[in-house]
Coordinates of all heavy atoms in Angstrom, one line a residue:
G757 N -26.3 12.6 -44.2 CA -27.7 12.3 -44.5 C -28.6 13.3 -43.9 O -28.5 13.5 -42.6
S758 N -29.4 14.0 -44.6 CA -30.3 15.1 -44.1 C -31.7 14.5 -43.9 O -32.3 14.1 -44.9 CB -30.3 16.3 -45.0 OG -31.3 17.2 -44.6
W759 N -32.0 14.3 -42.6 CA -33.3 13.6 -42.3 C -34.2 14.5 -41.6 O -33.9 15.1 -40.5 CB -33.0 12.3 -41.6 CG -34.2 11.7 -40.9 CD1 -34.4 11.4 -39.6 CD2 -35.4 11.2 -41.5 NE1 -35.6 10.8 -39.3 CE2 -36.2 10.7 -40.5 CE3 -35.9 11.2 -42.8 CZ2 -37.5 10.2 -40.7 CZ3 -37.1 10.7 -43.1 CH2 -37.9 10.2 -42.0
T760 N -35.4 14.8 -42.2 CA -36.5 15.6 -41.5 C -37.8 14.8 -41.5 O -38.4 14.6 -42.6 CB -36.7 16.9 -42.3 OG1 -35.4 17.6 -42.4 CG2 -37.7 17.8 -41.6
P761 N -38.2 14.3 -40.4 CA -39.5 13.6 -40.4 C -40.7 14.6 -40.5 O -40.6 15.7 -39.9 CB -39.5 12.9 -39.0 CG -38.6 13.7 -38.2 CD -37.6 14.3 -39.1
G762 N -41.8 14.2 -41.2 CA -43.0 15.1 -41.3 C -44.0 14.9 -40.2 O -44.8 15.8 -39.9
M763 N -43.9 13.7 -39.5 CA -44.8 13.5 -38.4 C -44.2 12.4 -37.5 O -43.2 11.8 -37.8 CB -46.2 13.1 -38.8 CG -46.3 11.8 -39.6 SD -48.1 11.5 -40.1 CE -48.9 11.5 -38.5
S764 N -44.8 12.2 -36.3 CA -44.1 11.4 -35.3 C -43.8 10.0 -35.7 O -42.9 9.3 -35.2 CB -44.9 11.4 -34.0 OG -46.2 10.8 -34.2
G765 N -44.6 9.4 -36.6 CA -44.4 8.0 -37.0 C -43.3 7.8 -38.0 O -43.0 6.6 -38.4
D766 N -42.8 8.8 -38.6 CA -41.8 8.7 -39.7 C -40.5 8.2 -39.1 O -40.1 8.4 -38.0 CB -41.6 10.0 -40.3 CG -42.8 10.6 -41.1 OD1 -43.8 9.8 -41.2 OD2 -42.8 11.7 -41.5
Y767 N -39.8 7.4 -40.0 CA -38.4 6.9 -39.6 C -37.6 6.7 -40.8 O -38.1 6.7 -41.9 CB -38.6 5.6 -38.8 CG -39.3 4.5 -39.6 CD1 -38.6 3.7 -40.6 CD2 -40.6 4.2 -39.4 CE1 -39.2 2.7 -41.3 CE2 -41.3 3.2 -40.1 CZ -40.6 2.5 -41.1 OH -41.2 1.5 -41.8
L768 N -36.3 6.7 -40.5 CA -35.3 6.4 -41.6 C -34.6 5.1 -41.2 O -34.0 5.0 -40.2 CB -34.2 7.6 -41.6 CG -33.1 7.4 -42.6 CD1 -33.6 7.4 -44.0 CD2 -32.0 8.5 -42.4
A769 N -34.8 4.1 -42.1 CA -34.3 2.8 -41.8 C -33.1 2.4 -42.7 O -33.1 2.8 -43.9 CB -35.4 1.7 -42.0
S770 N -32.1 1.7 -42.1 CA -31.0 1.2 -42.9 C -31.4 0.0 -43.7 O -32.5 -0.5 -43.5 CB -29.9 0.8 -41.9 OG -30.3 -0.4 -41.2
A771 N -30.5 -0.4 -44.5 CA -30.7 -1.7 -45.2 C -30.6 -2.8 -44.2 O -29.9 -2.7 -43.1 CB -29.6 -1.9 -46.3
P772 N -31.4 -3.9 -44.3 CA -31.4 -5.0 -43.3 C -30.0 -5.7 -43.2 O -29.2 -5.7 -44.1 CB -32.4 -6.0 -43.8 CG -32.6 -5.7 -45.3 CD -32.2 -4.2 -45.5
F773 N -29.8 -6.2 -42.0 CA -28.5 -6.9 -41.7 C -28.8 -8.0 -40.6 O -30.0 -8.1 -40.1 CB -27.5 -6.0 -41.2 CG -27.9 -5.1 -40.0 CD1 -27.8 -5.5 -38.7 CD2 -28.5 -3.8 -40.3 CE1 -28.3 -4.7 -37.7 CE2 -28.9 -3.0 -39.2 CZ -28.8 -3.4 -37.9
T774 N -27.9 -8.8 -40.3 CA -28.0 -9.9 -39.3 C -27.0 -9.8 -38.2 O -25.8 -9.5 -38.5 CB -27.9 -11.3 -40.0 OG1 -28.9 -11.4 -41.0 CG2 -28.0 -12.4 -39.0
M775 N -27.5 -10.0 -37.0 CA -26.6 -10.0 -35.8 C -26.7 -11.3 -35.1 O -27.7 -12.0 -35.2 CB -27.0 -8.8 -34.8 CG -26.9 -7.4 -35.4 SD -27.3 -6.2 -34.1 CE -29.0 -6.6 -33.7
S776 N -25.7 -11.6 -34.3 CA -25.7 -12.8 -33.4 C -26.3 -12.4 -32.1 O -26.0 -11.4 -31.5 CB -24.3 -13.3 -33.2 OG -24.3 -14.3 -32.2
S777 N -27.2 -13.3 -31.6 CA -27.8 -13.1 -30.3 C -27.3 -14.2 -29.3 O -27.9 -14.3 -28.2 CB -29.3 -13.1 -30.4 OG -29.8 -14.4 -30.9
T778 N -26.3 -14.9 -29.7 CA -25.8 -15.9 -28.8 C -25.0 -15.3 -27.6 O -24.1 -14.5 -27.8 CB -24.8 -16.9 -29.5 OG1 -25.5 -17.5 -30.7 CG2 -24.3 -18.0 -28.6
S779 N -25.4 -15.7 -26.4 CA -24.7 -15.1 -25.2 C -23.2 -15.3 -25.3 O -22.7 -16.4 -25.6 CB -25.3 -15.7 -24.0 OG -24.6 -15.2 -22.8
G780 N -22.5 -14.2 -25.0 CA -21.0 -14.2 -25.1 C -20.5 -13.9 -26.5 O -19.3 -13.7 -26.6
D781 N -21.4 -13.8 -27.4 CA -21.0 -13.5 -28.8 C -21.9 -12.5 -29.4 O -22.1 -12.4 -30.6 CB -21.0 -14.8 -29.7 CG -20.4 -14.6 -31.0 OD1 -19.3 -13.9 -31.1 OD2 -21.0 -15.1 -32.0
N782 N -22.5 -11.6 -28.6 CA -23.5 -10.7 -29.0 C -23.3 -9.3 -28.6 O -24.3 -8.5 -28.5 CB -24.9 -11.2 -28.5 CG -25.0 -11.2 -27.0 OD1 -24.0 -11.2 -26.3 ND2 -26.3 -11.2 -26.5
L783 N -22.0 -8.9 -28.4 CA -21.8 -7.5 -28.0 C -21.5 -6.7 -29.3 O -20.6 -7.1 -30.1 CB -20.6 -7.4 -27.1 CG -20.2 -6.0 -26.6 CD1 -21.3 -5.4 -25.7 CD2 -18.9 -6.1 -25.7
Y784 N -22.2 -5.5 -29.4 CA -22.1 -4.7 -30.6 C -21.9 -3.2 -30.2 O -22.2 -2.8 -29.0 CB -23.3 -4.8 -31.5 CG -23.4 -6.1 -32.2 CD1 -24.0 -7.2 -31.6 CD2 -23.0 -6.3 -33.5 CE1 -24.0 -8.5 -32.2 CE2 -23.0 -7.5 -34.2 CZ -23.6 -8.6 -33.5 OH -23.6 -9.8 -34.1
L785 N -21.3 -2.4 -31.1 CA -21.1 -1.0 -30.9 C -21.7 -0.2 -32.0 O -21.3 -0.4 -33.2 CB -19.6 -0.7 -30.7 CG -19.2 0.7 -30.6 CD1 -19.8 1.4 -29.4 CD2 -17.7 0.9 -30.7
L786 N -22.6 0.7 -31.7 CA -23.2 1.6 -32.7 C -22.5 2.9 -32.5 O -22.5 3.4 -31.3 CB -24.7 1.7 -32.5 CG -25.4 2.8 -33.4 CD1 -25.3 2.4 -34.8 CD2 -26.8 3.0 -32.9
Q787 N -22.1 3.6 -33.6 CA -21.5 4.9 -33.5 C -22.0 5.7 -34.6 O -22.2 5.3 -35.8 CB -19.9 4.8 -33.7 CG -19.2 4.0 -32.6 CD -17.7 3.9 -32.9 OE1 -17.4 3.2 -33.8 NE2 -16.9 4.5 -32.1
F788 N -22.3 7.0 -34.3 CA -22.7 8.0 -35.3 C -22.6 9.3 -34.7 O -22.5 9.5 -33.5 CB -24.2 7.7 -35.8 CG -25.2 7.8 -34.8 CD1 -25.9 9.0 -34.6 CD2 -25.6 6.7 -34.0 CE1 -26.9 9.2 -33.7 CE2 -26.6 6.9 -33.1 CZ -27.3 8.1 -32.9
S789 N -22.8 10.3 -35.5 CA -22.9 11.7 -35.1 C -24.1 12.4 -35.7 O -24.4 12.0 -36.8 CB -21.6 12.5 -35.3 OG -21.4 12.8 -36.7
V790 N -24.6 13.3 -35.0 CA -25.8 14.0 -35.5 C -25.6 15.5 -35.2 O -25.2 15.9 -34.1 CB -27.1 13.5 -34.9 CG1 -27.1 13.5 -33.4 CG2 -28.3 14.3 -35.4
T791 N -25.8 16.3 -36.2 CA -25.8 17.8 -36.1 C -27.2 18.3 -36.2 O -27.9 17.9 -37.1 CB -24.8 18.4 -37.1 OG1 -23.5 17.9 -36.9 CG2 -24.8 19.9 -37.0
G792 N -27.5 19.3 -35.4 CA -28.9 19.9 -35.5 C -28.9 20.9 -36.7 O -28.1 21.8 -36.7
G793 N -29.8 20.6 -37.6 CA -30.0 21.5 -38.7 C -31.1 22.5 -38.5 O -31.4 22.9 -37.3
Q794 N -31.8 22.9 -39.5 CA -32.9 23.8 -39.4 C -34.0 23.2 -38.4 O -34.4 22.1 -38.6 CB -33.6 24.1 -40.7 CG -32.7 24.8 -41.7 CD -32.5 26.3 -41.2 OE1 -33.4 26.9 -40.6 NE2 -31.3 26.8 -41.5
G795 N -34.3 23.9 -37.4 CA -35.3 23.4 -36.4 C -34.8 22.5 -35.4 O -35.5 22.1 -34.5
G796 N -33.5 22.1 -35.5 CA -32.9 21.2 -34.5 C -33.0 19.8 -34.8 O -34.0 19.4 -35.5
G797 N -32.1 19.0 -34.4 CA -32.1 17.5 -34.7 C -32.4 16.7 -33.5 O -32.7 17.2 -32.4
N798 N -32.2 15.4 -33.7 CA -32.5 14.4 -32.6 C -31.7 13.2 -32.8 O -31.6 12.7 -34.0 CB -34.0 14.1 -32.5 CG -34.4 13.6 -31.1 OD1 -33.9 12.5 -30.7 ND2 -35.2 14.3 -30.4
A799 N -31.2 12.6 -31.7 CA -30.4 11.3 -31.9 C -31.1 10.1 -31.5 O -30.5 9.0 -31.3 CB -29.1 11.5 -30.9
R800 N -32.4 10.1 -31.5 CA -33.2 8.9 -31.2 C -33.0 7.9 -32.2 O -33.1 8.1 -33.4 CB -34.7 9.3 -31.1 CG -35.6 8.2 -30.7 CD -37.0 8.6 -30.6 NE -37.9 7.5 -30.2 CZ -39.2 7.5 -30.3 NH1 -39.8 8.7 -30.6 NH2 -40.0 6.5 -30.0
A801 N -32.7 6.6 -31.7 CA -32.4 5.5 -32.6 C -32.8 4.2 -32.0 O -32.8 4.0 -30.8 CB -31.0 5.5 -33.0
T802 N -33.2 3.2 -32.9 CA -33.6 1.9 -32.4 C -33.1 0.9 -33.4 O -33.0 1.1 -34.6 CB -35.1 1.8 -32.4 OG1 -35.6 2.8 -31.5 CG2 -35.6 0.4 -31.8
I803 N -32.7 -0.3 -32.9 CA -32.5 -1.5 -33.8 C -33.6 -2.5 -33.5 O -33.8 -2.9 -32.3 CB -31.1 -2.1 -33.5 CG1 -30.0 -1.1 -33.9 CG2 -30.9 -3.4 -34.2 CD1 -28.6 -1.6 -33.7
R804 N -34.2 -2.9 -34.6 CA -35.4 -3.8 -34.5 C -35.5 -4.7 -35.6 O -34.7 -4.6 -36.6 CB -36.7 -2.9 -34.4 CG -36.8 -2.0 -35.7 CD -38.2 -1.4 -35.8 NE -38.3 -0.5 -37.0 CZ -38.6 -0.9 -38.2 NH1 -38.8 -2.2 -38.4 NH2 -38.7 -0.1 -39.2
R805 N -36.5 -5.6 -35.5 CA -36.8 -6.5 -36.7 C -37.5 -5.6 -37.8 O -38.3 -4.7 -37.5 CB -37.7 -7.6 -36.3 CG -37.9 -8.6 -37.4 CD -39.1 -9.6 -37.1 NE -38.7 -10.4 -35.9 CZ -38.1 -11.6 -36.0 NH1 -37.9 -12.1 -37.3 NH2 -37.9 -12.3 -35.0
R806 N -37.1 -5.8 -39.0 CA -37.6 -5.0 -40.1 C -39.1 -5.2 -40.3 O -39.8 -4.2 -40.7 CB -36.9 -5.3 -41.4 CG -37.3 -4.5 -42.6 CD -36.4 -4.8 -43.8 NE -36.7 -6.2 -44.3 CZ -37.6 -6.6 -45.1 NH1 -38.4 -5.7 -45.7 NH2 -37.8 -7.9 -45.5
V807 N -39.6 -6.4 -40.1 CA -41.0 -6.7 -40.3 C -41.7 -7.1 -39.0 O -41.1 -7.2 -38.0 CB -41.2 -7.8 -41.4 CG1 -40.6 -7.3 -42.7 CG2 -40.5 -9.0 -41.0
S808 N -43.0 -7.3 -39.1 CA -43.8 -7.7 -38.0 C -43.2 -9.0 -37.3 O -42.7 -9.9 -38.0 CB -45.2 -8.0 -38.4 OG -46.0 -8.5 -37.3
P809 N -43.0 -9.0 -36.0 CA -43.7 -8.1 -35.0 C -42.8 -6.9 -34.6 O -43.1 -6.2 -33.6 CB -43.9 -9.0 -33.8 CG -42.8 -9.9 -33.8 CD -42.5 -10.2 -35.3
W810 N -41.8 -6.6 -35.4 CA -41.0 -5.3 -35.2 C -40.4 -5.2 -33.8 O -40.2 -4.1 -33.3 CB -41.9 -4.1 -35.5 CG -42.5 -4.1 -36.8 CD1 -41.9 -3.9 -38.0 CD2 -43.9 -4.2 -37.1 NE1 -42.8 -4.0 -39.1 CE2 -44.0 -4.1 -38.5 CE3 -45.0 -4.4 -36.3 CZ2 -45.3 -4.3 -39.2 CZ3 -46.3 -4.5 -37.0 CH2 -46.4 -4.4 -38.4
E811 N -40.1 -6.3 -33.2 CA -39.5 -6.3 -31.8 C -38.1 -5.7 -31.8 O -37.4 -5.8 -32.8 CB -39.5 -7.7 -31.1 CG -38.4 -8.6 -31.6 CD -38.9 -9.5 -32.8 OE1 -39.9 -9.0 -33.5 OE2 -38.4 -10.6 -33.0
G812 N -37.8 -5.0 -30.7 CA -36.5 -4.5 -30.6 C -35.4 -5.5 -30.4 O -35.7 -6.6 -29.8
Y813 N -34.2 -5.2 -30.8 CA -33.1 -6.2 -30.7 C -32.0 -5.7 -29.8 O -30.8 -6.1 -29.9 CB -32.5 -6.4 -32.1 CG -33.2 -7.3 -33.0 CD1 -33.0 -7.3 -34.4 CD2 -34.2 -8.2 -32.5 CE1 -33.7 -8.2 -35.2 CE2 -34.9 -9.1 -33.3 CZ -34.6 -9.1 -34.7 OH -35.3 -10.0 -35.5
G814 N -32.3 -5.0 -28.7 CA -31.4 -4.7 -27.7 C -30.9 -3.3 -27.6 O -30.2 -3.0 -26.6
L815 N -31.2 -2.4 -28.6 CA -30.7 -1.1 -28.5 C -31.8 -0.1 -28.8 O -32.6 -0.2 -29.8 CB -29.6 -0.8 -29.6 CG -29.1 0.7 -29.5 CD1 -27.6 0.8 -29.5 CD2 -29.6 1.4 -30.7
S816 N -32.0 0.8 -27.9 CA -33.0 1.9 -28.0 C -32.4 3.2 -27.4 O -32.3 3.2 -26.2 CB -34.3 1.5 -27.4 OG -35.3 2.5 -27.5
I817 N -32.1 4.1 -28.2 CA -31.6 5.4 -27.7 C -32.8 6.4 -27.6 O -33.5 6.6 -28.6 CB -30.6 6.0 -28.6 CG1 -29.4 5.0 -28.7 CG2 -30.1 7.4 -28.2 CD1 -28.3 5.5 -29.7
P818 N -33.1 6.9 -26.4 CA -34.3 7.7 -26.3 C -34.2 9.0 -27.0 O -33.1 9.4 -27.5 CB -34.5 7.9 -24.8 CG -33.1 7.7 -24.3 CD -32.4 6.7 -25.2
S819 N -35.3 9.8 -27.1 CA -35.2 11.1 -27.7 C -34.2 12.0 -27.1 O -34.2 12.2 -25.9 CB -36.6 11.7 -27.6 OG -36.6 13.0 -28.1
T820 N -33.2 12.4 -27.9 CA -32.1 13.3 -27.4 C -32.0 14.5 -28.3 O -31.4 14.4 -29.4 CB -30.8 12.5 -27.4 OG1 -31.0 11.2 -26.7 CG2 -29.7 13.3 -26.8

Side-chain angles (χ1 to χ4, degrees):
S758 173
W759 165 237
T760 304
M763 63 182 304
S764 60
D766 292 353
Y767 58 83
L768 175 66
S770 70
F773 51 87
T774 300
M775 298 183 299
S776 169
S777 60
T778 302
S779 178
D781 189 44
N782 62 338
L783 183 62
Y784 288 84
L785 172 62
L786 173 67
Q787 296 175 293
F788 64 91
S789 70
V790 55
T791 300
Q794 293 292 325
N798 200 295
R800 183 180 178 188
T802 303
I803 293 180
R804 60 168 177 84
R805 187 191 294 269
R806 183 178 63 89
V807 296
S808 179
W810 304 290
E811 73 269 26
Y813 278 164
L815 178 131
S816 179
I817 300 174
S819 176
T820 308

